[in-house]
Amino acid sequence: MKIIVQVCVIFAIVAIAYSASTSWGIQNATDSLILSKNVVYPAIRNTAQTHYFSIPQSYQSNNKLISAIYLQDQFINGSGPTNSLIWGGPGWTYATIQMRTQSNSGLNVTVVVYGK
Ligand SMILES: *[C@@H]1O[C@H](CO)[C@@H](O)[C@H](O)[C@H]1NC(C)=O
Ligand SMILES: *[C@@H]1O[C@H](CO)[C@@H](O)[C@H](O)[C@H]1NC(C)=O
Ligand SMILES: *[C@@H]1O[C@H](CO)[C@@H](O)[C@H](O)[C@H]1NC(C)=O
């Protein structure tokens, strides 16, 4: 019983840690900006939404190796999405990020990607 409670606490902490702004990789001073984009989805009542963001974007190409991806949560009240890198990322020329919102919350996230 005690273990179950501890596991729940760990999951709760992980969830909180990931709901804020997220980053993957390290930006080097010589890296250039690949893209910077504000992603906004309105809230849907009683629904947690799942959205995907891919690099490169549709109808665009990218031949730079990604070095860092920053997701800046523009909701400063802790209701931002849970972000996961599900494909590619630093070291690759492509990436897909999954953003899962909290129920009743939309999202407003700025995605900034650097590469070389
Ligand atoms: C940044 O990139 C340059 C060129 O690729 C490399 O020489 C340098 O060591 C890198 N610096 C860091 C802190 O990774
Ligand atoms: C998203 O966040 C930015 C930066 O805080 C703000 O300027 C913009 O109005 C927000 N967009 C929406 C739809 O809330
Ligand atoms: C958090 O802030 C956003 C943008 O200002 C707003 O849409 C949302 O309702 C807020 N959520 C809570 C739980 O206050």
Side-chain angles (χ1 to χ4, degrees):
M1 193 60 196
K2 203 174 167 192
I3 286 176
I4 292 170
V5 170
Q6 284 170 349
V7 167
C8 288
V9 168
I10 289 166
F11 276 120
I13 291 169
V14 168
I16 290 164
Y18 279 85
S19 340
S21 296
T22 314
S23 69
W24 294 281
I26 298 164
Q27 178 198 346
N28 186 322
T30 60
D31 294 345
S32 51
L33 185 68
I34 296 179
L35 74 84
S36 172
K37 195 167 182 201
N38 221 53
V39 182
V40 175
Y41 289 98
I44 299 175
R45 226 178 134 210
N46 295 329
T47 304
Q49 308 168 49
T50 302
H51 294 288
Y52 295 90
F53 184 91
S54 290
I55 302 142
Q57 295 262 269
S58 302
Y59 307 114
Q60 292 182 6
S61 65
N62 172 42
N63 52 23
K64 293 195 168 90
L65 280 184
I66 293 168
S67 54
I69 302 172
Y70 299 103
L71 266 54
Q72 290 152 5
D73 181 10
Q74 302 294 352
F75 289 172
I76 49 172
N77 55 15
S79 66
T82 302
N83 308 310
S84 327
L85 180 64
I86 57 170
W87 182 247
W92 304 90
T93 56
Y94 54 84
T96 298
I97 293 150
Q98 183 196 61
M99 296 175 284
R100 286 217 327 262
T101 72
Q102 298 175 34
S103 188
N104 292 318
S105 297
L107 63 80
N108 184 350
V109 170
T110 304
V111 180
V112 182
V113 183
Y114 288 92
K116 64 183 79 167

